[in-house]
């Protein structure tokens, strides 16, 4: 994909994600793979009012090709996801209340979801009886170290739809902008359902199911 | 009703339902009975931005009359509801957080609601002292089997306003587009109330009342 | 106030209340006192898209002066409030999730609120240390009987800002359209706070405080 | 900054804050330091539709320079914050459900937040492992006395991003309009997360962590 097309799609996605309330306080970052590497949002800036000037163009190794703005530290994690997952064309990283709280109260290193029809909105799922397992990584300000953990995990358990960073948020992955938006929306819906469910059945019952 | 009029009403309803957040991630499907059978939304597509091209026209047995788009597997359930309920003119199937969670945490095969003035927004109800009972069917990827269960149930307990599919969502039924929208909105309101109530009084107290 | 001016204010208020989600499924009704009696919304109709045609003009005894639409059964309660409270110029009756659930889970015949700065948005309150007491009446489909209960209550405990009907909603009262909108918004805010508080501290702790 | 520029920024911020639902029922007040002192919103008025006429211009001691409108009692607290914190250029005081409830159920005199990536949206924070401590002051209708408490507290524990008033709301502080808006949005996000977390893990577990 051309850089300009990719950036246009991410600007549009940013308005939608911001309106959902999933990128408060200039949080989050978005990227898309392109023919020359990938484009990614710069550090800071409200993600609901992005322009071409808020993007960096990086090559396949993450070196800057264009864009005068400051890169986000989390650019490294976007790069890793593109290197690990050949099919990944877009990554939307968001900070929702549900993703933040659910990843923080879950002691395990993954969030297992089952019994929801909405799982079928995630590519590859055909039944609510399957288990959707989203890995949860402990947050780390050392993004290189965090990226290594994600890479190591991917070797034995391939990442398909996204990962949660504890107390931080979601990285949703897709093979095109429509798929990543659908994955993001479906995962956020499932996180909201789980959070509501735990409020009623309690966290002990929730963990053991 | 003419196919084009029915489709226009469903397009308009789709914008409203989408704005409410009840059809995330291309979820849900909508239909309306017409003089030649019924019209129904195709598989996938965001339900908030439907056009004429996103609809199929089917006959009274569910055979395609027009529309090149892929039918949703759940078309069968719409067909069954029209066959079972002569008065049903519209069916709106939605995926809200409240309907999903409430149907999942309820062990019973129906959700009983009583004591709410809002019950009177459902046709036939004249008092909050009556009990509104919405059947809950276990989710099943075999829609023919699920439709049979719904049909069997209807023989002894006629379906009036809608049914819940566990962990999946609501099928709301009405005698025209205004009634189905009112039924949907009233049921979602009641589901939200029940969910809030259970968070405070606890699920044990909630079940026994 | 002239009937047309009053109706215009209620149409505008309806858009705002509807956008807040407090009049779902054609629920709620609004009125304003005028020089010839009062104007009130007809039965049914979405309260977010009212026109002049959706109002009745009634005299001081509740007899119809103009308007061909069907009166709501609850018109009687509006009339009673104007007869009981000489200062009342507007009544907004709404169906919010918070008002419905809070009135239903509270066993007492009033909701006592204290410790909230927002209480000062209600006319007459100057401190969060005072107690705001909103009466709760059991819902009754016999509106005449319900109105009598409200009248009897008012004799020993004057109604000032509004009343709750259990499992039904709020009747907010004000001396003009701005005051009733402020009362409604402040009470809904306080109901939301109480509901959130009870979810955390539990209803036993909430009742005894 | 010039008075007119400051007022324009606060009018724009008011639309955004109102749309978020954080200044219901004419609640809240906003101010900005200027070359001649500071500008501040008058008492009352909906904060989502402010005009130049809804502001007072005060000098460095809080004496009126311009503006015929009634000052809010809380003007004194804005003045104190500017006198205590030389870098403070803007103060946004809001009344959200989360800030109100969280400050009311917390027994301590501060709210400690840790483990959230969003803490980094607050100037000076570089890691989720640090603890963000927001002081909570008991509400007091005597604003001079409350201001003194805030001043005393600041002597031993400098206020950086804002303070909570119990059962009342948040005063967010920033070095410019963008920073105060980011602080406000980040703090509200964190309050929402904490409130959700406490609903699941319980307040006892929440306090001891």
């Amino acid at each position: 994909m051309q850089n300009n097309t990719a950036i246009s799609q991410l600007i549009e996605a940013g308005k939608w994600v911001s309106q959902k309330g999933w990128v408060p306080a200039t949080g989050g970052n978005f990227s898309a793979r392109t023919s020359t590497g990938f484009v990614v949002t710069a550090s800071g800036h409200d993600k609901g009012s992005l322009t071409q000037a808020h993007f960096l163009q990086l090559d396949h190794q993450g070196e800057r090709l264009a864009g005068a703005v400051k890169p986000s530290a989390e650019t490294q994690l976007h790069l890793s996801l593109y290197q690990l997952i050949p099919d990944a064309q877009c990554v939307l990283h968001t900070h929702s209340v549900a993703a933040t709280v659910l990843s923080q109260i879950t002691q395990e290193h993954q969030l297992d979801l089952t019994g929801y029809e909405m799982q079928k909105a995630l590519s590859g799922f055909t039944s609510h009886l399957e288990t959707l397992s989203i890995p949860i990584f402990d947050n780390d300000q050392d993004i290189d170290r965090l990226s290594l953990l994600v890479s190591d995990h991917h070797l034995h358990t391939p990442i398909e739809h996204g990962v949660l960073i504890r107390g931080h948020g979601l990285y949703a992955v897709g093979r095109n902008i429509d798929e990543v938006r659908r994955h993001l929306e479906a995962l956020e819906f499932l996180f909201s359902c789980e959070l509501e469910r735990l409020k009623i059945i309690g966290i002990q019952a929730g963990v053991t199911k």
Side-chain angles (χ1 to χ4, degrees), chain A:
Chain A
M1 187 179 289
Q2 288 206 306
N3 289 315
N4 282 355
T5 310
I7 289 174
S8 294
Q9 290 181 348
L10 295 177
I11 288 173
E12 206 54 46
K15 289 178 194 162
W16 173 74
V17 173
S18 172
Q19 199 270 330
K20 293 283 186 186
W22 299 335
V23 281
T26 79
N29 34 70
F30 310 148
S31 70
R33 197 194 288 270
T34 65
S35 52
T36 56
F38 66 108
V39 294
V40 63
T41 48
S43 182
H45 301 297
D46 170 37
K47 297 304 177 294
S49 52
L50 293 170
T51 67
Q52 294 266 344
H54 297 117
F55 285 85
L56 291 149
Q57 298 181 22
L58 306 177
D59 69 13
H60 300 285
Q61 280 71 46
E63 296 302 316
R64 189 190 304 232
L65 296 175
V69 279
K70 188 187 164 207
S72 160
E74 294 175 53
T75 300
Q76 175 61 37
L77 201 40
H78 289 260
L79 175 61
S80 294
L81 289 168
Y82 289 122
Q83 289 176 338
L84 294 171
I85 311 172
D87 271 356
Q89 294 292 331
C90 289
V91 176
L92 299 180
H93 167 47
T94 50
H95 292 200
S96 73
V97 168
T100 300
V101 174
L102 204 54
S103 62
Q104 201 169 55
I105 63 175
T106 304
Q107 308 276 323
E108 286 71 30
H109 283 277
Q110 86 255 12
L111 180 71
D112 287 340
L113 299 162
T114 188
Y116 292 108
E117 177 73 9
M118 185 57 76
Q119 294 167 231
K120 288 168 59 189
L122 298 163
S123 294
F125 276 81
T126 57
S127 170
H128 64 286
L129 298 175
E130 300 170 74
T131 295
L132 167 64
S133 194
I134 303 290
I136 307 176
F137 297 95
D138 288 334
N139 195 15
D140 194 332
Q141 297 306 324
D142 183 334
I143 300 294
D144 288 343
R145 192 163 56 191
L146 180 56
S147 298
L148 268 180
L149 271 182
V150 171
S151 301
D152 282 353
H153 176 90
H154 184 74
L155 290 182
H156 60 80
T157 312
I159 291 161
E160 287 179 275
H161 309 97
V163 301
L164 282 165
I165 312 295
R166 203 181 303 283
H168 181 154
L170 171 70
Y171 280 80
V173 175
R175 286 171 300 184
N176 53 58
I177 190 74
D178 285 344
E179 188 180 84
V180 73
R181 285 176 62 157
R182 198 181 71 238
H183 284 177
L184 171 60
E185 197 172 9
L187 288 170
E188 286 293 345
F189 175 86
L190 291 166
F191 297 161
S192 292
C193 286
E194 274 299 280
L195 212 55
E196 291 295 274
R197 201 174 68 91
L198 290 178
K199 284 177 201 168
I200 293 174
I201 66 165
I203 192 161
Q204 290 307 322
V207 167
T208 57
K209 296 200 181 167

